């Protein structure tokens, strides 16, 4: 037994003394195709809708919301599946995102969002991560399909055409700036975090803090005026 | 007298049944009540972005664009994403009426009043479809014109 292991070790250590150069070259090439192909196939499997919705966290929370939107069903039958928006398409960025996703495995094991309530609680934070990612890469995953160069503004509603020409073409804003919640519901906490201008009755809740703010602002304005 | 009343009642009842037969309650249905009718074809929401005149001064303005899939709940209000006071500069949409900032005591708040938060309770998108029932509404302006012609 020991003799066989020693022999095997010798072969692995100096294979060229046992096999021909041609065999090693072709064999290495074939093995490379198999391993590289296998690796990518396995990684593509983790990009499928079936894989993403294999866990109840995704199947019961975010998938039903996606189903009502135009990205899931529409007249022409094109579907943006989970990974089309949530995983970069370029290989290096994809690997980087997949490594980040190991945190999601951690979350699954420890049940970070194992109930609807836990999910709702955590949802703003999760959404913020995605919004930050889209903002940072200039909404790359939107632009994988939607390109402003292919947009015919005359076929858009006047409202959409106006907004796209003012903000998209001029690069003043990126897709996610206006289209948050396009494929999922907006999370609780969204209004106070992003749209405090529409938060009903927000000021009434903190009268004392506000009085302090007004006093300090008035005095600092006076100081500025005196200077 | 009593006979007359009885005759009248009989006559009225007959009249009623006759008219009921003329216009059955299945007017808007294409199947009897105990059967499921074929739903009408779904039509797209109008999306012209051209404001329509109000039919009477107090009418909540109708929405001249699509509002399908707009989220209006405790977590978000996608109408106000464009129509709020701060948003109209970017969106160039009409700002929500200042009356919507007023609470029930007539006090103006800094933001939209909770009781006016749910836009689609009063404001609705339109579908370009044939009227299902005849509408006998008369615009008050038509009355004014009618009076002017009388003079």
């Amino acid at each position: 037994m020991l003799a066989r292991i020693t022999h095997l070790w010798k072969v692995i250590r100096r294979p060229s003394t046992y096999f021909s150069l041609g065999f090693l070259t072709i064999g290495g090439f074939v093995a490379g195709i198999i391993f590289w192909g296998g690796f990518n196939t396995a990684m593509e499997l983790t990009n499928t809708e079936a894989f993403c919705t294999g866990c109840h966290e995704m199947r019961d929370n975010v998938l039903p919301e996606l189903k009502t939107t135009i990205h899931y069903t529409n007249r022409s039958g094109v579907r943006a599946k989970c990974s089309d928006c949530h995983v970069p398409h370029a290989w290096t960025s994809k690997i980087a995102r997949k490594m980040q996703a190991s945190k999601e495995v951690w979350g699954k094991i420890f049940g970070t969002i194992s109930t609807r309530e836990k999910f709702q609680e955590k949802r703003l934070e999760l959404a913020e991560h995605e919004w930050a990612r889209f903002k940072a890469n200039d909404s790359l995953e939107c632009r994988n399909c939607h390109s402003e160069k292919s947009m015919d503004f005359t076929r858009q509603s006047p409202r959409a055409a106006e907004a796209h020409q003012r903000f998209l073409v001029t690069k003043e804003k990126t897709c996610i700036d206006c289209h948050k919640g396009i494929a999922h519901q907006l999370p609780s906490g969204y209004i106070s975090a992003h749209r405090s201008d529409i938060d009903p009755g927000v000021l009434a809740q903190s009268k004392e803090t506000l009085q302090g703010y007004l006093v300090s602002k008035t005095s600092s304005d006076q100081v500025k005026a005196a200077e | 007298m009593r006979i007359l009343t009885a005759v009248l009642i009989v006559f009225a009842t007959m009249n009623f049944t006759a008219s009921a037969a003329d216009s059955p309650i299945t007017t808007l249905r294409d199947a009897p009540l105990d059967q499921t009718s074929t739903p009408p074809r779904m039509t797209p929401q109008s999306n012209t972005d051209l404001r329509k005149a109000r039919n009477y001064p107090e009418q909540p303005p109708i929405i001249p664009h699509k509002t399908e899939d707009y989220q209006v709940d405790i977590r978000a209000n996608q109408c106000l994403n464009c129509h709020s006071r701060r948003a109209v500069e970017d969106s160039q949409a009409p700002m929500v009426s200042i009356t919507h900032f007023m609470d029930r005591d007539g006090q103006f708040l800094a933001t939209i009043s909770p009781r006016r938060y749910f836009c689609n309770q009063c404001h609705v998108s339109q579908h370009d479809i044939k009227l299902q029932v005849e509408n006998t509404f008369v615009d008050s302006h038509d009355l004014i014109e009618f009076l002017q012609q009388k003079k």
Side-chain angles (χ1 to χ4, degrees):
Chain A
M1 184 69 198
L2 189 70
R4 286 181 79 184
I5 292 174
T6 327
H7 178 69
L8 195 67
W9 176 242
K10 273 183 185 166
V11 174
I12 290 171
R13 229 178 125 233
R14 310 190 65 186
S16 51
T17 51
Y18 296 89
F19 299 109
S20 73
L21 183 65
F23 175 81
L24 284 179
T25 314
I26 296 168
F29 186 72
V30 170
I33 289 176
I34 290 170
F35 284 119
W36 183 243
F39 175 75
N40 272 328
T41 310
M43 193 169 66
E44 264 335 291
L45 276 180
T46 67
N47 258 3
T48 57
E49 205 172 77
F51 178 84
C52 299
T53 57
C55 294
H56 76 279
E57 285 94 337
M58 296 293 119
R59 189 176 60 239
D60 300 342
N61 292 316
V62 286
L63 180 66
E65 294 175 1
L66 174 70
K67 280 182 175 172
T68 65
T69 72
I70 197 157
H71 282 99
Y72 193 80
T73 50
N74 47 64
R75 61 201 170 280
S76 50
V78 185
R79 177 179 296 176
K81 62 184 199 294
C82 319
S83 57
D84 286 330
C85 304
H86 293 290
V87 182
H89 294 200
W91 195 83
T92 0
S93 319
K94 179 158 49 178
I95 289 290
R97 181 68 191 90
K98 288 289 178 194
M99 287 197 285
Q100 282 176 356
S102 50
K103 174 80 192 295
E104 287 150 35
V105 179
W106 173 277
K108 171 68 194 170
I109 292 168
F110 290 93
T112 317
I113 50 167
S114 57
T115 65
R116 177 82 182 157
E117 289 70 28
K118 281 189 197 169
F119 172 70
Q120 296 283 27
E121 192 123 311
K122 187 108 175 132
R123 186 163 194 181
L124 179 66
E125 187 194 323
L126 299 172
E128 295 285 8
H129 290 162
E130 276 308 88
W131 294 335
R133 199 171 62 79
F134 272 76
K135 182 82 179 154
N137 67 13
D138 195 17
S139 309
L140 178 67
E141 276 74 62
C142 308
R143 293 175 197 266
N144 282 336
C145 294
H146 303 270
S147 130
E148 70 204 59
K149 293 198 175 62
S150 318
M151 266 186 197
D152 184 350
F153 295 127
T154 62
R155 303 200 64 146
Q156 294 185 343
S157 74
R159 191 164 44 109
E162 227 265 329
H164 287 141
Q165 285 173 86
R166 270 179 67 207
F167 297 111
L168 178 70
V169 175
T170 60
K171 307 213 184 310
E172 195 179 326
K173 291 187 181 193
T174 184
C175 315
I176 199 68
D177 285 328
C178 300
H179 292 289
K180 288 189 183 77
I182 191 92
H184 302 292
Q185 301 246 307
L186 290 161
S188 65
Y190 164 76
I191 287 184
S192 53
H194 291 272
R195 307 293 319 206
S196 51
D197 58 321
I198 67 170
D199 202 349
V202 61
L203 292 184
Q205 293 154 7
S206 41
K207 204 172 163 187
E208 279 163 24
T209 328
L210 281 172
Q211 275 168 347
Y213 168 75
L214 286 175
V215 169
S216 65
K217 189 174 190 312
T218 321
S219 52
S220 70
D221 284 351
Q222 282 167 351
V223 169
K224 269 185 203 153
E227 284 168 357
Chain B
M1 188 62 199
R2 226 179 245 177
I3 295 166
L4 184 66
T5 320
V7 168
L8 273 178
I9 288 173
V10 168
F11 185 72
T13 325
M14 277 170 66
N15 206 10
F16 174 73
T17 43
S19 68
D22 285 341
S23 57
I25 51 171
T26 57
T27 318
L28 297 180
R29 302 172 58 90
D30 56 10
L33 273 176
D34 58 345
Q35 285 166 28
T36 311
S37 62
T38 322
R41 269 185 74 88
M42 283 171 73
T43 52
Q45 290 185 339
S46 298
N47 201 26
T48 61
D49 286 335
L50 293 171
R51 287 193 229 177
K52 287 260 201 277
R54 303 186 200 192
N55 292 313
Y56 49 96
E58 311 90 331
Q59 184 196 3
I62 61 116
I63 305 172
H65 61 75
K66 285 194 289 191
T67 51
E68 280 162 322
D69 290 334
Y70 274 31
Q71 187 183 348
V72 180
D73 59 21
I74 192 173
R75 301 187 190 100
N77 184 320
Q78 291 191 319
C79 306
L80 288 175
N81 281 1
C82 290
H83 292 279
S84 80
R85 179 174 70 89
R86 302 270 285 185
V88 296
E89 193 176 328
D90 274 356
S91 67
Q92 294 293 306
M95 183 186 125
V96 280
S97 161
I98 181 62
T99 57
H100 296 44
F101 286 58
M102 201 160 63
D103 67 9
R104 62 179 179 184
D105 304 317
Q107 172 74 40
F108 282 101
L109 308 176
T111 51
I112 197 115
S113 170
R115 65 182 192 145
R116 308 301 278 276
Y117 181 82
F118 294 102
C119 317
N120 44 7
Q121 278 186 327
C122 300
H123 303 279
V124 283
S125 287
Q126 300 294 300
H127 292 253
D128 193 13
I129 50 166
K130 218 169 67 184
L131 285 182
Q132 294 274 15
V133 287
E134 194 198 348
N135 191 343
T136 55
F137 176 81
V138 179
D139 192 320
S140 57
H141 188 73
D142 292 344
L143 297 179
I144 295 173
E145 282 188 335
F146 173 74
L147 285 178
Q148 280 174 339
Q149 283 168 6
K150 274 262 171 178
K151 274 179 192 167

